[in-house]
Amino acid sequence: MADAWMPGARCIRAQSDGGDMAGGAPRVVWLTLGADPRAVSVWSAAQQLKQEGRPCHLVWDPLTGDIAQLLPIVRAGHVLGTPEHLEWAPGQLPHRTAAVNREGRLCVQIGVLGSAREPFTSYQMIGLAAILGWLDSWEIPRRWPAGQPAPFRQLARPRSRALWARGGHFGASQVPECDSIGPGSIDIDHLTRLDASIARELSEPSRTNGAARSYGQARTNGTFHPGPHTPHTLPTGTFSTAGV
């Protein structure tokens, strides 16, 4: 049986969610939180979304692989239709959950520490294999019915209800009833074609819990490589499911 809570993710459980799922094709929505992963930790981002009452399912730092889960996968998230960044004004939040949060047998919302200006697929994306393996266990198809999300500040394609109904993977900018512009021009092939079976070979980063980070080098399949996009280097560690 698939796990409602992702193995290895830190649980920061939200007090409320978007309610029961309404049924239909399962889907995943990738969104950026407008936060620099070099400055904001997964723990602090998850706590802020929790306090604001607009939790997504996962918050992921692709530079370190740190992952927090706020909601079980079988419950609706509450972030679609709200401002897509962590810096928000309370008056901008809707008084009720947008219906799109509940559409599908599953509607997994993954908030990535990053910006639509710099697509997060340019990062090493540490921890991606574990995320995809978990999504695969819930039989969410690795397809992008709406194609690649629009680049930052370029006019997005119409948000098609027909494509949304097919299920699969979407950027927040492709979701009906959602004004988000992220995650920007991510490389969708690079994001979802990774062989999830290598997850066990990837190391887990050190857990930060908001503490200052010390960046080492990226580890991939047991070998070290410098980061492709930045002079910063990345942490190493061992994967643990303690506390889940």
Side-chain angles (χ1 to χ4, degrees), residues 57-84:
H57 292 87
L58 299 182
V59 176
W60 174 42
D61 181 344
L63 287 181
T64 67
D66 206 8
I67 302 167
Q69 185 169 358
L70 286 76
L71 300 170
I73 197 172
V74 293
R75 298 292 294 176
H78 203 336
V79 75
L80 298 180
T82 74
E84 62 190 305

Side-chain angles (χ1 to χ4, degrees), residues 19-70:
D20 295 327
M21 299 305 302
R27 52 184 63 88
V28 181
V29 179
W30 299 85
L31 54 122
T32 45
L33 298 175
D36 185 347
R38 303 170 189 89
V40 177
S41 72
V42 158
W43 183 87
S44 61
Q47 287 290 350
Q48 186 162 343
L49 291 170
K50 175 181 174 180
Q51 291 167 7
E52 293 168 1
R54 52 183 189 127
C56 51
H57 292 87
L58 299 182
V59 176
W60 174 42
D61 181 344
L63 287 181
T64 67
D66 206 8
I67 302 167
Q69 185 169 358
L70 286 76

Side-chain angles (χ1 to χ4, degrees), residues 80-101:
L80 298 180
T82 74
E84 62 190 305
H85 46 78
L86 292 177
E87 299 299 328
W88 66 288
Q92 294 178 356
L93 293 181
H95 295 292
R96 60 186 179 83
T97 303
V100 71
N101 286 278

